[in-house]
Structures are given as structure tokens and as C-alpha cells.
Amino acid sequence: MSDNETRIYDVVVIGAGPVGENVADRTSAAGLSTVIVEAELVGGECSYWACEPSKALLRPALLYHEAARFPGVASAVTGGLDAAAVLKHRDRMAADWNDQDQLAWLDSVRVDLVRGHGRLDGPKQVTVRTPDGSTVRLTARHAVALCTGTSAALPPLPDLDALRPWTSREATAAQTVPDRLAILGAGVVAVEMATAWQALGARVTLLARETRLLERVEPFAADLVTERLREAGVDLRLGTTVAAARRGDDGVHLTLADGTRLVADELLLATGRAPRTTDLGVDTVGLTPGQWLSTDDTLTVTAVEGAWLYAVGDVNRRALLTHQGKYQARIAGAVIAARARGQALDAGRWGAHAATADLDAVPQVVFTDPEIASVGLTTADAARAERAVHVVDYEIGHVAGAIQHDPGYRGRARVLIDPDRGVVVGATFAGPGVAELLHSATVAITGEVPLERLWHAVPSFPTIGEVWLRLLETYRDQQQPPARGEVA
């Protein structure tokens, strides 16, 4: 490969995480020559520093907690988790940070790879600085897709480099368990890592300026997680901030806003995400480096003329979830292929070329104890949108299948129903094992299944899924007029 070599493809994808891989897969399958550019490991953040390793840390913790509470099993649970074995399992689930299997997959779908840092260099132009210092120039006939994702957004603490904090990457890849771990944040990364590392033997202190955890989920679900974290021994300090931090020989010294001091071996900053657009060359096409890339529902960047530039996945801020980014990638791939063939787009609501689910049906699981699974609107979402909904709650622990799962089951289900259309528009489940309820709710919302038809979807007994029947019964009884002599 010579310096300043130029190659021409139909499609150039920057970023070989799950999102970029799916864009490339779809465009290649459509017969478009495709190249993907990656500066790190093919497979991206999710495979090596997020979804896969974090869930490998969390599953043993959740299994341990459930077993320790179950009659006849609890007596067999002695001691804590085998941290070394859990970390070894995590390494395996992260493929030992080796992307050879991913390279074989790229070959199987006929997608070329250029390793190096890719940047836009004008319309349909990409330059890649390779590890050996040479430059490869790529020209796209039809499309460039930016799938660079996000990185940790760090708070404005002084001397961050000297502080050497953990981000989500270090938290999921650490090779030893710290004796003392302080976590700054109240979102998903903060509570999941508090769950995992406390179970592995760390003494965890979670600090948050917010007055409650997981502010974007239903309060009842966040309250259950808060209760379990405290029961597990996590020191929760809400409604506070870090006024000063420094690293000494004995760890990280933190001073809180009220003057309280504490020392931790490691400090995890879980304070949000920022788009990886700072060094992406977006300024060469009129965009601002460091900013999120806004798109329409076809994932086309709206501020760039010519419908050739796409922003797919977390970088567009539509829904910062791997599975949602992969969904966007499938849509974007279909859009690119249709435009390359000169075909009209089906970009209406729920059309083949519109990422409608980003707006109406984003599913998410928080893998804490208990799990939280949600899709569609929350009650707060509905209130902000001034949208009328009927709220239906049911205690999951009253369902026979839940009692079989855990005799002391604590959890709740909530669905939001559009009273005019008679369809479910939001659902939240909190409790052990509720992640497996989520897809049924997602199908009900995306399919806009009428309640009259849902009555015919019979849940198997005894499963936790029977909560769907109980929710429908509760809603039916709420809507019935009062009996004679009763007050409505």
C-alpha cells in the first residue's frame, strides 16, 4: 500500500462497531462495494468495553443474589463470588480483546477493512491515517456513513489526567477488584457497575448530584433498585457533588460539596456520553466538530446537502443503545441501497426507510437487581407531551410464575394505554427476570395491537408473562362503571 493511495467504493463506513458493521453488511448485501474504517478493534465499544463485558460481570451478581434468597438453595450459597473466575469469564465474553473473529465475519460478507483513523475530507471523501503513518484516500460514489459512537463525557474536575479516573472502559475491563470504589453518576452505567463491583467484593460509594437514581425510568422502578443497592451494602450519597479530587499514594481523595471527605482506590466517572465527532473532519462539510449529528428518520444528516452523508447509532443521539443503533443501521443500509438504485423511499411512519422506533418504541434493559425493562412512553414522557394516557399498575409478585421464580418476589409492572386508540404506548417492568418480558411489550407497541386482540394472546401458566393478563384485567375493571349504590 503506497502513501496517498486512493480507492473508490460505493459506500464508505467510518466506525466498525455493531452499527457500522450492520450498515456495511446491508449495503454489501445490496450489491454495493463497501469499505469500513476502524482505528481500534473491529466490533467496537459494545463488544469489548460495554454491553458484552458489563453483562458478563452482572450476570454472576444477579444469579448470586437470586440464589442467596431462594429456599433450599440459600443454604448452599457460601461465601461470596469467585472474583477471579468472574473476571476470567468476562475476558472470554470480550473475546480477550481480540477481533480476529470479527475480521473473518467481514470477509464473509465481502466488506473491505482499512485500519486507521478516518476523517471526512470534503463531500464523499475520506482520508485514513494508518498505523504505519501512511494515508489512504477513499472516495464514495454514493454514501459515507459515520458510525463513530460516543465516548465518556467527563466532568470539569481539575487535573483529570493526574486523577487517572475510570471511565466505563476501565470499569468493564479492570483485571482486579478495588477494595474501595467511588462512582460519580446516577445513570445506567453507574448503577450497573455499582451492582457488579459490590458483588465482586468492592466497597462501593455512589455519589450523585441527582436526588434519585435513574431519573429517566419510572420512579417505582428506580426506587426498587435503590433499595436493593442499599441492602447490598452500597453507600448511596444522593444530592451531592464533588468539590475537589486528587490522587495520592493511598488512592483518590474526594471532597464533597458539604465538606465530607472520603478516599477510594478508584474513581469511576459515569456522568454521560459525548459524540466522537471532534476529530472526524465534519468541519470539511460545514458541520461543527464535537457536536451531535442531527438526522431525519432516514438517518441522513440534515445539515449537509446532497443526501450522501449518514450518521448512524449513538453519534446522532436519537437513542444511545446498541440494539437501537443496529436497527438504525438496517434502515440506513436500505436507504443507501434504494437511493443508489434511484428508487423512491418509503419514509413514512413505520416505513421500510424510516427509523420510527427511535421515536415510539425504544426498548431498554437495566441489568441491576432487580432488572428494569422498559419500552415506549413513561408517565413523565406522557406528561411532558401533554398526552392523555391511562396508567395501569400490577404487582408482579402476585403472579404465580413470579412466586415460582422467587417466593419473595418484589416487582411491579406498568403499562400506559392510549384511551382513544385502545393500544399500549408504554410499558415498564421491574423485578427479577423481567428482561424476557420486554419484547412482548415492544411487539405490542410497534404493532399497535388493539387491546381487544391482546385478550386473545394467552400467557402460559405459570410464567411471569402472566402479568400481561393481570394488567388487562386491571384495566378492564378500572374502566367498568360502578355498581348500583357505589361511588365512581
Side-chain angles (χ1 to χ4, degrees):
M1 183 184 299
S2 62
D3 197 39
N4 297 324
E5 177 184 351
T6 300
R7 305 181 192 174
I8 300 174
Y9 289 88
D10 292 323
V11 180
V12 178
V13 179
I14 303 180
V19 175
E21 288 180 321
N22 273 266
V23 172
D25 177 44
R26 291 298 82 210
T27 56
S28 178
L32 301 177
S33 61
T34 302
V35 63
I36 198 165
V37 179
E38 177 55 57
E40 295 186 294
L41 294 174
V42 175
E45 198 81 10
C46 179
S47 298
Y48 306 106
W49 301 287
C51 316
E52 294 284 6
S54 68
K55 303 315 167 276
L57 292 173
L58 284 159
R59 178 56 188 153
L62 300 180
L63 184 61
Y64 177 87
H65 291 156
E66 289 188 22
R69 294 193 296 261
F70 204 91
V73 179
S75 60
V77 178
T78 58
L81 289 174
D82 182 340
V86 171
L87 295 179
K88 184 176 180 180
H89 166 67
R90 183 275 319 273
D91 292 351
R92 184 167 60 252
M93 294 304 295
D96 291 308
W97 293 274
N98 185 301
D99 63 4
Q100 289 304 304
D101 287 347
Q102 300 281 349
L103 301 186
W105 179 82
L106 284 180
D107 287 341
S108 74
V109 296
R110 302 181 306 280
V111 172
D112 289 347
L113 169 67
V114 176
R115 287 196 184 270
H117 180 73
R119 303 177 78 256
L120 287 170
D121 192 20
K124 297 184 181 180
Q125 303 297 314
V126 172
T127 59
V128 184
R129 196 67 177 173
T130 67
D132 65 7
S134 63
T135 299
V136 177
R137 301 187 182 278
L138 303 172
T139 296
R141 294 188 186 95
H142 298 292
V144 175
L146 305 179
C147 309
T148 51
T150 60
S151 57
L154 302 179
L157 293 172
D159 299 322
L160 267 177
D161 289 342
L163 194 59
R164 301 194 308 278
W166 279 8
T167 67
S168 55
R169 283 197 167 195
E170 289 78 16
T172 56
Q175 292 298 315
T176 59
V177 180
D179 290 334
R180 303 161 298 177
L181 173 63
I183 300 175
L184 182 59
V188 174
V189 171
V191 296
E192 286 191 347
M193 290 298 94
T195 299
W197 288 106
Q198 181 75 26
L200 287 169
R203 287 173 287 160
V204 175
T205 302
L206 191 151
L207 311 164
R209 68 173 183 272
E210 296 85 354
T211 55
R212 76 173 179 89
L213 302 179
L214 300 170
E215 287 193 328
R216 295 184 182 180
V217 308
E218 295 282 9
F220 73 82
D223 289 345
L224 284 169
V225 171
T226 301
E227 180 182 345
R228 284 290 198 202
L229 284 173
R230 285 194 168 119
E231 289 176 356
V234 175
D235 181 2
L236 296 181
R237 305 192 189 188
L238 306 180
T240 189
T241 57
V242 175
R246 67 174 180 84
R247 182 174 283 276
D249 293 338
D250 58 343
V252 180
H253 293 247
L254 301 173
T255 303
L256 306 186
D258 63 1
T260 301
R261 298 172 183 267
L262 62 95
V263 181
D265 298 290
E266 301 294 348
L267 170 65
L268 165 59
L269 300 179
T271 50
R273 306 295 294 178
R276 285 196 179 115
T277 60
T278 301
D279 189 18
L280 193 55
V282 295
D283 51 309
T284 67
V285 293
L287 302 176
T288 303
Q291 298 297 306
W292 302 94
L293 302 178
S294 297
T295 73
D296 59 20
D297 289 350
T298 68
L299 290 314
T300 307
V301 176
T302 52
V304 175
E305 295 182 355
W308 62 271
L309 185 62
Y310 298 78
V312 193
D314 287 4
V315 75
N316 62 33
R317 210 182 192 178
R318 290 170 65 94
L320 276 66
L321 296 160
T322 295
H323 49 270
Q324 210 66 23
K326 292 164 70 174
Y327 160 75
Q328 293 176 15
R330 296 190 291 272
I331 299 294
V335 170
I336 292 168
R339 284 177 170 157
R341 295 166 179 159
Q343 298 171 344
L345 298 185
D346 175 14
R349 180 178 166 81
W350 301 118
H353 303 117
T356 308
D358 287 346
L359 307 176
D360 293 341
V362 176
Q364 181 174 15
V365 178
V366 184
F367 291 90
T368 44
D369 180 18
E371 292 175 342
I372 301 174
S374 61
V375 61
L377 297 177
T378 64
T379 49
D381 294 332
R384 280 191 294 269
E386 299 182 345
R387 183 169 177 177
V389 293
H390 287 163
V391 179
V392 186
D393 288 342
Y394 194 82
E395 295 299 318
I396 304 177
H398 294 166
V399 175
I403 299 171
Q404 293 282 4
H405 187 92
D406 180 349
Y409 196 103
R410 282 185 284 173
R412 185 189 299 181
R414 169 173 291 178
V415 295
L416 306 185
I417 294 173
D418 183 323
D420 297 323
R421 295 189 296 137
V423 297
V424 177
V425 293
T428 297
F429 307 97
V434 296
E436 301 308 324
L437 294 175
L438 186 56
H439 196 58
S440 58
T442 305
V443 170
I445 292 173
T446 57
E448 299 177 337
V449 182
L451 297 184
E452 291 81 1
R453 181 59 61 86
L454 280 180
W455 276 104
H456 297 281
V458 181
S460 180
F461 180 88
T463 65
I464 300 176
E466 196 181 14
V467 72
W468 274 105
L469 173 59
R470 302 305 174 213
L471 288 164
L472 290 173
E473 290 174 336
T474 301
Y475 183 63
R476 174 198 62 195
D477 295 344
Q478 287 177 352
Q479 303 312 303
Q480 288 180 346
R484 183 176 298 177
E486 293 182 349
V487 178

